[in-house]
Amino acid sequence: MRPTNPVFTGINTTVFETMSRLAMAHNAVNLGQGFPDVDGPMDIRQVAADALLDEPNQYPPMLGLPELRQAVADANKRFYGLDVDPAAEVLVTSGATEALADCIFALVSPGDEVVLIEPLYDCYLPLVRQAGGIPKRVRVRPPEWKLDPAELRAAFSDRTKAILINNPMNPTAKVFSDAELELIASLCCEHDAFAICDEVYEHLVFDGQKHRPLMAYKGMRNRSVRIGSAGKTFSLTGWKVGYITGGAKLIDPIAKAHQWVTFTTPPNLQKAVAFGLSKDDAYYEDLAGDLMNKRDRMAKGLRSLGFSVLPCDATYFLTCGFDGLGLGETDIEACETLVKEAGVAAVPVSAFYGENAPVEYIRFCFCKKDEVIDEALARLSVFVAAAGAESA
Ligand code: PMP
Ligand code: GLN
C-alpha cells in the first residue's frame, strides 16, 4: 500500500478522546477532556429545538445566517468596542476547530513560518504542518507562564507569515498581559505578519479581569482574525458552532477554505447562538463567577491534598504538579495511575507540546457540578492517603 499522509498517519488519537475513553472504561470522574457537565441555558436550547421543527433545515448561507453574523458583530462592539461589518467581516464555522483549520489553510502557504506558543492546543501543529507551514515554537514556562520578549522576538523573521496565539490560554489558564500583547502586535506589524487569535475562552476570565483581543491593538485590526466558540461561551460544546471576525481581505480567502471544509453549520444551532450572544451582562458575569467559585473549590481541595496548584486566571482548567504524591514519575504515568487507581481522569500537560515536553504537570477540568468536584477530591484523598501509608 502507498503511504498515507504522514501528518495524520501514526500520530496519537487526541489526548482528550483518549482520556475520556479511559475514564469511561474505569468508571472514573472525568476531569480530563474539557466540557461542562451541565448543559448551557435552556432558552438557547429551546430556540434551537423550535427552529429545528419550524424552520428550514436546508443549507444556510455559506458565511453563516445573517442574524448570527450580526450578533457576532454586535458582540465585538459591545465587549471590545470593535466596529465590525457583519456582511464582510464575520464567518460562521462548525466549531473553533474548523475555524482554526480554515484560517491556517487560507493564510499559510508552504514554506511560511508560523510562530506558536507552547504549550499549545493539540490541533495547532498538525494543521500548520498540513498547510506546509514551518512551526517556530516559543515556550512560556511555569509557574507564571510569562512570555520572554527576547525569545519571542527571536522567533520572528522575514519568513514569518503568522502567529497563532491562544488567549486566554489552554492548558495554562494564562491571560496574556497588556505588555505581552503589545509586543506581539508590534512584532506582527514589524514583520508584516498575520495573527490568528484563538479566543474561545474570551468570556471565561476571572477576578475582575477583562479579555483584551489582540485585534484591538495598534496596527492589528486588519492583520488579525479572532476566533470564538459557542461551545465555551454557552456551555454547549457538542454543538460545534464557531465564529471568526477579521478584516474583509482575510475573511474572503478564509471563507474559500471553509467552503471546502464544511461549507455550512446547522441553521437551527446558528439561530440559537445568535439569540445567546444577545444575552444580558448578567449571563456573562454569572458564567465567569460560577466558574471562578469552582476553580477555588477545586484548587483548595487539590492544595490540601498536596498538589502544587498553579495560578488560574481564566478557562476551566487547573494545572498542577504532583510531586511526592505517589502518582509516578511522569505526567502520563500520573494520569494513568489516577484514572485506574484513584478513579479520576486528568490530562497530561506534555500532550500540549511538540517534543521535549516537561512532564511534571497534569491538568484538571473544573467546569463540573460541585458534588462532582467533591467526589473527585474525595477519591483523590483516599488514593493519596493510601499511597502515603504505603510509602511510610
Ligand atoms: N481552541 C482551544 C484552545 C480549545 O481549548 C478548544 C477546545 N474545545 C478549541 C479551540 C475547539 O473549540 P470547538 O469545540 O469550538 O471546536
Ligand atoms: N478543548 C477541550 C480540552 O482542552 C477538548 C476538545 C476536544 O476534545 N477536542 O479539553
Side-chain angles (χ1 to χ4, degrees):
M1 199 169 78
R2 303 283 299 277
T4 52
N5 183 346
V7 173
F8 298 105
T9 307
I11 62 172
N12 293 333
T13 297
T14 154
V15 69
F16 311 116
E17 174 74 16
T18 305
M19 288 315 303
S20 282
R21 283 186 206 164
L22 274 176
M24 234 181 281
H26 294 278
N27 215 1
V29 179
N30 189 356
L31 306 185
Q33 188 177 32
F35 62 89
D37 62 355
V38 174
D39 277 352
M42 185 54 91
D43 54 356
I44 299 182
R45 288 186 275 149
Q46 190 65 53
V47 173
D50 291 346
L52 184 84
L53 295 176
D54 302 337
E55 297 190 23
N57 285 281
Q58 308 308 326
Y59 297 129
M62 181 185 93
L63 295 175
L65 283 191
E67 60 200 279
L68 178 51
R69 282 186 277 149
Q70 182 68 56
V72 171
D74 292 348
N76 272 291
K77 181 73 182 170
R78 169 179 167 193
F79 294 111
Y80 313 118
L82 291 166
D83 286 303
V84 171
D85 173 4
E89 296 189 310
V90 177
L91 172 67
V92 177
T93 60
S94 291
T97 312
E98 195 230 330
L100 284 159
D102 297 344
C103 291
I104 292 167
F105 295 162
L107 303 183
V108 177
S109 307
D112 287 342
E113 291 184 0
V114 180
V115 177
L116 301 170
I117 301 175
E118 256 183 343
L120 38 76
Y121 186 54
D122 69 344
C123 69
Y124 293 2
L125 276 174
L127 289 174
V128 167
R129 289 191 173 123
Q130 179 55 24
I134 299 166
K136 290 281 157 186
R137 279 171 278 159
V138 177
R139 264 188 197 183
V140 290
R141 293 183 178 80
E144 305 237 303
W145 307 107
K146 281 207 177 104
L147 194 55
D148 178 336
E151 260 185 72
L152 182 67
R153 190 173 287 283
F156 276 78
S157 78
D158 296 347
R159 293 175 301 281
T160 304
K161 181 58 104 33
I163 182 169
L164 171 46
I165 163 183
N166 177 211
N167 180 34
M169 190 182 190
N170 177 9
T172 62
K174 168 190 171 70
V175 169
F176 281 75
S177 71
D178 190 38
E180 288 173 331
L181 292 169
E182 253 177 35
L183 175 66
I184 295 171
S186 76
L187 286 168
C188 286
C189 294
E190 198 180 306
H191 293 275
D192 194 19
F194 299 124
I196 301 169
C197 308
D198 177 347
E199 299 182 356
V200 298
Y201 298 104
E202 62 188 319
H203 293 295
L204 314 187
V205 177
F206 310 138
D207 304 308
Q209 296 193 60
K210 282 261 165 276
H211 174 63
R212 289 175 291 248
L214 186 62
M215 180 177 278
Y217 282 69
K218 191 160 165 263
M220 296 308 287
R221 176 62 179 82
N222 290 317
R223 62 173 74 250
S224 336
V225 287
R226 53 181 303 270
I227 298 172
S229 168
K232 314 292 175 198
T233 299
F234 302 112
S235 302
L236 295 163
T237 61
W239 279 21
K240 300 293 284 189
V241 178
Y243 22 89
I244 310 174
T245 305
K249 287 204 172 116
L250 301 188
I251 290 294
D252 181 67
I254 292 168
K256 302 296 162 47
H258 162 73
Q259 72 183 347
W260 307 132
V261 178
T262 59
F263 182 61
T264 58
T265 298
N268 64 318
L269 302 183
Q270 292 196 49
K271 184 164 179 178
V273 170
F275 169 79
L277 282 171
S278 69
K279 277 190 167 292
D280 60 10
D281 291 348
Y283 168 76
Y284 292 92
E285 283 156 17
D286 289 352
L287 175 72
D290 286 351
L291 276 173
M292 199 165 82
N293 291 336
K294 292 182 186 301
R295 171 199 67 179
D296 293 344
R297 191 182 195 96
M298 185 83 202
K300 188 168 164 231
L302 288 172
R303 276 199 191 102
S304 75
L305 295 174
F307 287 91
S308 56
V309 180
L310 300 188
C312 168
D313 291 331
T315 75
Y316 32 57
F317 305 117
L318 275 177
T319 48
C320 45
F322 49 89
D323 207 22
L325 292 175
L327 294 176
E329 293 297 308
T330 67
D331 58 346
I332 295 180
E333 260 174 63
C335 287
E336 278 176 4
T337 309
L338 280 177
V339 75
K340 290 180 187 157
E341 294 176 36
V344 178
V347 160
V349 168
S350 60
F352 295 80
Y353 290 81
E355 58 268 338
N356 302 322
V359 293
E360 296 93 2
Y361 295 95
I362 58 178
R363 187 196 81 176
F364 290 103
C365 172
F366 58 77
C367 53
K368 306 292 172 186
K369 293 188 209 74
D370 286 352
E371 58 268 32
V372 173
I373 293 177
D374 293 347
E375 170 64 20
L377 290 169
R379 290 182 183 203
L380 290 172
S381 169
V382 170
F383 175 84
V384 168
E390 211 169 278
S391 68

